[in-house]
Amino acid sequence: MTSSAFPGSDWSDRDTPILRASLNEQGCTTQILEWDDSDGIDWTAFDVVAVQSPWSMWLKLTQFREWVDSLHRQGVRLANPHPIIVSGMSKEYLPQVEQHGARTIPTTVVRPGERIGAVAAETLARAESEFGEAAVVVKPISSGGTLGAARVTEEQDLVARLAAFDESGVTACVQPYVSSIDSLGEYGIIMIDGSFSHAITKDAILAPGREGTQFHPNARAGYTEHGEDLTDIHDAYDAYLKTVPVHPVSVRLDFLRHPVTGRLLLLEIESVAPVKFFHLHPAAAERYARSLITVAAASDLVRH
């Protein structure tokens, strides 16, 4: 399942054609449909619906939530279950994951009506104290890519940006800008059926002076491993599972490396429609295709 249009001209879905080919090779019939142009489509006719690139959702959050809820009411089997998708629509899960023991980038949620000046001062001071630089990223709590995001170093600028979100009735979040991303990049760890499947590294988008792209710049296979990485990855995933009522078929955990300790810090969890970078890891597409077939079979919906 995809979108009628993506939020930016540089956004592209490279996973779905590869996944479709793998499913077809395994004897499945597939259709690629658009969630936001689906009048007349009987979603209950499908064994399983894999939400692949619904990225227009970030500009149509209410409509997307209504669409997902409608499928849930109809009993449509989603690859990632309804609660996983709904919880992944807002980064408010991050403080909850931290409370369950994950090492995370500290996330301050700023709701409309809250004390913007105090939040701005406190988050910049915390960023300088814990990461050595008074720089933060501010963005909508519900967003993808870098939509609505900015790197900010001045308190006045941060206050202005938070005020704009406040006036629009938008909940925002503020995280320290961890400078290690500029040299080491951001790591994406893809989990399939609860296990570490594969990893990628991508460049920073908001690095000072860099002309960036909003969509996974310079993604490449693998990442530079340190000794305690697997512990940090599994601790983050286990903490995440404590915040949701059901297990996902697949999520992507995005990490940055602490500039001093070298430990992995969870930046966010992509669970609505995690890009899996199958073009870099073709075998993972086969693995995920088998997972989708298993999901359909477990629901007794597979047609013979």
Side-chain angles (χ1 to χ4, degrees), residues 94 97-98 101-107 126-127 130-131 175-181 184-189 223 226 228-229 231-233 235-237 253-269:
L94 282 168
V97 173
E98 183 179 30
R103 296 174 181 271
T104 69
I105 306 294
T107 302
R126 182 176 185 181
E130 297 187 16
F131 296 98
Q175 296 176 308
Y177 187 88
V178 181
S179 60
S180 62
I181 191 176
L184 300 177
E186 176 183 329
Y187 305 149
I189 308 299
Y223 75 109
H226 286 195
E228 296 175 297
D229 286 356
T231 296
D232 293 337
I233 291 167
D235 284 352
Y237 187 66
L253 310 176
D254 289 341
F255 291 94
L256 304 180
R257 199 172 290 286
H258 195 291
V260 177
T261 68
R263 298 297 291 267
L264 291 183
L265 301 175
L266 182 68
L267 175 65
E268 61 184 353
I269 301 171

Side-chain angles (χ1 to χ4, degrees), residues 51-280:
V51 180
Q52 285 292 113
S53 49
W55 301 319
S56 64
M57 62 174 283
W58 299 121
L59 307 178
K60 307 174 182 179
L61 283 167
T62 300
Q63 298 95 313
F64 183 76
R65 176 61 189 269
E66 291 172 350
W67 178 79
V68 171
D69 288 349
S70 173
L71 265 58
H72 181 60
R73 289 193 299 270
Q74 295 175 66
V76 174
R77 176 56 62 101
L78 293 163
N80 266 356
H82 177 265
I84 298 295
I85 292 175
V86 170
S87 67
M89 290 176 62
S90 168
K91 293 177 178 62
E92 291 193 62
Y93 61 78
L94 282 168
Q96 300 173 28
V97 173
E98 183 179 30
Q99 290 171 8
H100 285 288
R103 296 174 181 271
T104 69
I105 306 294
T107 302
T108 301
V109 178
V110 189
R111 296 179 176 83
E114 294 190 351
R115 297 177 302 122
I116 293 173
V119 169
E122 291 167 3
T123 53
L124 283 166
R126 182 176 185 181
E128 184 170 28
S129 172
E130 297 187 16
F131 296 98
E133 183 181 12
V136 298
V137 175
V138 58
K139 54 190 172 184
I141 198 74
S142 296
S143 63
T146 55
L147 292 173
R151 179 183 181 274
V152 179
T153 58
E154 299 295 331
E155 183 175 336
Q156 184 176 359
D157 187 9
L158 182 54
V159 168
R161 291 178 183 275
L162 289 173
F165 286 131
D166 183 90
E167 291 171 8
S168 301
V170 173
T171 296
C173 66
V174 183
Q175 296 176 308
Y177 187 88
V178 181
S179 60
S180 62
I181 191 176
D182 297 341
S183 56
L184 300 177
E186 176 183 329
Y187 305 149
I189 308 299
I190 294 86
M191 309 290 289
I192 296 177
D193 287 335
S195 298
F196 185 131
S197 171
H198 57 284
I200 61 95
T201 300
K202 54 186 175 178
D203 287 351
I205 300 175
L206 300 175
R210 180 174 297 173
E211 289 294 331
T213 173
Q214 289 186 321
F215 204 74
H216 307 302
N218 191 28
R220 59 262 191 205
Y223 75 109
T224 303
E225 296 184 51
H226 286 195
E228 296 175 297
D229 286 356
L230 288 179
T231 296
D232 293 337
I233 291 167
H234 289 297
D235 284 352
Y237 187 66
D238 290 345
Y240 164 66
L241 291 181
K242 293 175 182 177
T243 70
V244 290
V246 292
H247 285 208
V249 173
S250 180
V251 298
R252 193 185 74 244
L253 310 176
D254 289 341
F255 291 94
L256 304 180
R257 199 172 290 286
H258 195 291
V260 177
T261 68
R263 298 297 291 267
L264 291 183
L265 301 175
L266 182 68
L267 175 65
E268 61 184 353
I269 301 171
E270 296 289 355
S271 62
V272 177
V275 177
K276 301 178 183 68
F277 303 93
F278 289 145
H279 65 289
L280 300 175

